[in-house]
Amino acid sequence: MKFEAFKDSVRLSMEDICEEFLARNRDRIKVKKDRVAVKNLAKIFEATLRVSNEKGFASMSLRDLSREAGLSMGALYSYISSKDELLDMVQQQGRSLVFKILGEHIEEIPDPREKLKAGIQTHLYLSEVVQPWFYFSYMETKNLPRGVHRKAIEAELFTEKIFAGIIEEGIGKGLFRKVDPQMTSAALKAMLQDWYLKRWKHERRRLSVEQYAEFVIELMSAYLDAKEEKGG
Amino acid sequence: MKFEAFKDSVRLSMEDICEEFLARNRDRIKVKKDRVAVKNLAKIFEATLRVSNEKGFASMSLRDLSREAGLSMGALYSYISSKDELLDMVQQQGRSLVFKILGEHIEEIPDPREKLKAGIQTHLYLSEVVQPWFYFSYMETKNLPRGVHRKAIEAELFTEKIFAGIIEEGIGKGLFRKVDPQMTSAALKAMLQDWYLKRWKHERRRLSVEQYAEFVIELMSAYLDAKEEKGG
DNA sequence: AAATATCGAGCGAGCGCTCGTTTTTAATGT
DNA sequence: ACATTAAAAACGAGCGCTCGCTCGATATTT
């Protein structure tokens, strides 16, 4: 699948995301009119991601956020109940995005080779479309309070298990050689994360997400297909 | 080289590191007696890394640091001139560590294959010995003020260029197939970074740094040695 | 007893957050 | 069409507190 096709098929503008968020969290938003709420939530999320990804969530004051979102302190507090809750809101929405989109795009592919390719592509394409969410989730995980921190760790392991499962199935069917699925999946994940963590680098190099996806798929294929023999 | 041998050959206890730091920054430490200065610098660096890596540098107050290091606010300010400078001190010392050790361990190896292996091993072993420094450098880079931020980015590209250079040389000598050295090096770097960024994961899995090094070397070899043919 | 090192209360600024007030919105009666 | 009005939303000065940082007093070393 091409990136542009993917981008069009998923509806993930900031407003779309906020609409979904509002539906799932209608009770904790004090503002009653959906149209108003979605519009301002979009402002708040956008500003939170922009400012936080620049200087870190802890260093973003609510006055910064208020100014950047174009809302007063009071208005801000009609949408969040505390700064900590805001952190949780962004994290939660980011995670639910991954589950939904990644699941949708690979669940019905029977061939492990194709499934692995689709998984790599989907992860990269998705992280390209919603890069600020991915970056935020990654960088602000460690600062979370205990309970929420575990949720984030589980999410990290969740995607890893998906890829490990595909690799294991491929080994079982004799398509891949006998590698360690867990380690291989971990390495793959590291490469996927590199795409959204070091975006400045890839941009500077004029590297497209499609090129990167192809590279990662080729590298993984080389490892999974290599002959067992160890000649030197 | 085995990890234990590496660990013994490099002298990188907290006191060793602080001694070197003091020598290179004698002018900006107000305390005059070296013995005292090194002892307290060690306390400060240790506490900074421990607290920052737990909750983030921005969220670590100097009162936290003062308490954890066992020094009063006043004493603290005999060693640092501001919180920002402390951030810079830790970053700088972390970087100079990598340059020195990585350079020492690979500069005189002629064979690209062996040089690549040594580079991977050294990077992983070093990041294992001084993990808190590596983790701190990675996580606290984005919060740096403009000028210092560029230094950190250059450092990121520096190590990448080392590996890209080795790969390029290997291709030139016909030892590796014609891959993109820059992308390959970037992917390798992502896997090396994963080792110190996700330590909790690898620890939980009882994975040793030697096992991980072997895995990364094997994966890279599979890619670099693979036949050009693209059969399905 | 002079030099060196440590101490910690205190400063002004800025933090997260609140709440009495003002402005905007939209349904109503004429 | 327009004035009325109550609900809804937005406002921002101000609260208690903690922040980074200073400095005169005190303790330790030589």
Side-chain angles (χ1 to χ4, degrees), chain A residues 37 68 81 83-84 127 132 161 166 198 210:
Chain A
E68 295 297 315
S81 70
K83 195 187 176 188
D84 277 348
S127 72
K161 268 182 198 151
I166 300 172
K198 308 274 179 58
E210 282 168 5

Side-chain angles (χ1 to χ4, degrees), chain A residues 63-118:
Chain A
R63 283 170 183 83
D64 288 342
L65 180 56
S66 161
R67 182 171 12 87
E68 295 297 315
L71 290 168
S72 68
M73 291 294 294
L76 204 55
Y77 271 83
S78 302
Y79 297 89
I80 65 172
S81 70
S82 74
K83 195 187 176 188
D84 277 348
E85 201 212 37
L86 174 61
L87 179 55
D88 186 39
M89 279 161 61
V90 180
Q91 291 265 356
Q92 186 196 306
Q93 190 62 15
R95 253 178 280 133
S96 88
L97 265 176
V98 182
F99 292 163
K100 194 182 146 218
I101 306 290
L102 196 58
E104 278 176 11
H105 279 74
I106 64 167
E107 61 187 355
E108 304 224 339
I109 302 175
D111 177 41
R113 249 183 237 281
E114 289 306 315
K115 196 166 183 173
L116 185 64
K117 276 175 77 167

Side-chain angles (χ1 to χ4, degrees), chain A residues 126-206:
Chain A
L126 178 59
S127 72
E128 178 74 2
V129 177
V130 292
Q131 193 264 354
W133 296 83
F134 273 64
Y135 188 85
F136 184 93
S137 287
Y138 190 96
M139 295 304 279
E140 304 297 344
T141 291
K142 70 166 191 298
N143 305 353
L144 294 167
R146 279 285 164 278
V148 202
H149 191 210
R150 288 196 53 178
K151 280 270 174 200
I153 285 183
E154 279 165 32
E156 153 88 23
L157 294 177
F158 174 81
T159 16
E160 204 183 287
K161 268 182 198 151
I162 288 181
F163 286 112
I166 300 172
I167 292 167
E168 203 152 19
E169 204 193 328
I171 296 171
K173 290 189 177 176
L175 293 167
F176 301 147
R177 70 191 179 95
K178 286 172 188 162
V179 301
D180 181 329
Q182 203 177 55
M183 280 178 85
T184 310
S185 175
L188 170 56
K189 190 119 201 289
M191 290 186 281
L192 298 181
Q193 289 177 330
D194 204 57
W195 178 254
Y196 62 83
L197 291 173
K198 308 274 179 58
R199 202 187 217 204
W200 57 271
K201 192 168 73 180
H202 305 307
E203 253 170 24
R204 186 195 286 186
R205 291 173 182 170
R206 303 255 183 277

